[in-house]
Amino acid sequence: DSHNKQVKRKMTLDQFISNNRGTNGGKDWPRQMLANIYTTIQTDEIKLSAEGEVSTSRWSDVLRRSQTDAGAFICNDGEGTHDRDLFGIIWGPTIAAMSVVFEHTDDESVLVEVLAGFGDIARIADVQRQMDVMDNLVSNLCKFTMLQPANSTRPQVAFAEDQKAGMAAKAVFAIAAKYGNHTRGGWCNILDCVLRLHKLGLLPTKVTEPEDGIMTEADREKLA
């Protein structure tokens, strides 16, 4: 309300501080920091265009200032207080965005970058033990392997010729091997891929045969 002429009684600094109590992970923000924000709001109005959007010149100015120390505030308590909350906000849109890129590009370098991003998400989810994130990630990756039920009459050939499917399958199994302890529902997708590989005859012998090299008929029937 600082720049709204229709508001006669402007919010005071004390009221601004009071409104932000308990918003720092249940604690209060430093008073001086809030005072600086309050002063900035009063002296530097964000003006919108007639369409209700920030003008190009204004946005360019914001980007320029973001590259300097002006107005910078670094909150590092050494405990990652806000890490889980921030990750909780961005992981869904991030997986969705990268999945779209992975689906629509054939550029190998881009595919590698996207898979590296998926790996970073898996690593963070593992550290924070966010199993729902891991399950969602695995489920999305499995969709690109072509190892779930497909309509192709020659699935072995289709899989062998699809570089993207092979890269996705390797990523899925790498995540399962490294972060399997914090994967729950995603294991259903992983096992579906393994079973389909077996039915297609694409699994190596060391995976389908026991370590002692002896497989009974009952064992073979279970894998069939």
Side-chain angles (χ1 to χ4, degrees):
D1 61 13
S2 180
H3 301 282
N4 190 336
K5 296 180 180 180
Q6 295 181 350
V7 178
K8 302 302 180 183
R9 300 181 61 182
K10 309 295 185 182
M11 181 184 296
T12 66
L13 173 59
D14 287 337
Q15 290 173 328
F16 180 74
I17 293 175
S18 178
N19 288 343
N20 286 280
R21 283 178 180 169
T23 59
N24 181 17
K27 300 178 182 179
D28 294 340
W29 295 98
R31 181 182 178 87
Q32 186 57 51
M33 186 200 76
L34 292 178
N36 291 340
I37 295 175
Y38 178 82
T39 301
T40 300
I41 293 173
Q42 282 194 316
T43 58
D44 191 12
E45 178 184 4
I46 297 179
K47 297 181 179 180
L48 302 180
S49 65
E51 291 76 22
E53 299 179 352
V54 177
S55 65
T56 301
S57 60
R58 178 59 175 163
W59 182 242
S60 297
D61 182 57
V62 171
L63 293 177
R64 178 183 59 78
R65 295 182 62 186
S66 70
Q67 303 300 318
T68 69
D69 294 332
F73 173 71
I74 300 176
C75 180
N76 183 7
D77 56 12
E79 299 178 358
T81 303
H82 307 291
D83 290 357
R84 187 179 181 87
D85 292 335
L86 290 173
F87 184 61
I89 294 172
I90 68 172
W91 73 263
T94 302
I95 290 178
M98 291 197 299
S99 295
V100 171
V101 174
F102 193 86
E103 180 179 3
H104 291 91
T105 186
D106 292 317
D107 188 318
E108 183 176 359
S109 63
V110 175
L111 294 174
V112 170
E113 289 291 334
V114 173
L115 290 176
F118 283 141
D120 289 337
I121 292 176
R123 177 175 54 82
I124 297 172
D126 179 72
V127 171
Q128 297 183 353
R129 301 185 179 184
Q130 296 199 27
M131 300 172 188
D132 56 334
V133 179
M134 199 74 75
D135 291 341
N136 184 284
L137 175 60
V138 168
S139 176
N140 271 275
L141 274 172
C142 284
K143 294 176 183 177
F144 298 113
T145 65
M146 293 180 59
L147 293 177
Q148 293 179 334
N151 297 322
S152 174
T153 56
R154 301 177 65 191
Q156 298 97 328
V157 176
F159 177 72
E161 294 180 346
D162 192 329
Q163 179 189 34
K164 189 181 300 184
M167 294 173 70
K170 289 180 181 178
V172 167
F173 296 134
I175 289 175
K178 195 169 184 179
Y179 308 115
N181 289 340
H182 292 141
T183 303
R184 291 297 181 266
W187 276 110
C188 292
N189 302 99
I190 295 170
L191 290 177
D192 282 343
C193 289
V194 172
L195 290 175
R196 188 159 175 77
L197 277 173
H198 174 68
K199 290 180 179 180
L200 295 176
L202 298 177
L203 285 180
T205 305
K206 64 180 181 181
V207 175
T208 59
E209 297 287 345
E211 292 184 0
D212 57 11
I214 301 175
M215 178 175 285
T216 65
E217 189 62 31
D219 292 331
R220 298 183 186 279
E221 290 179 358
K222 289 179 181 180
L223 287 174

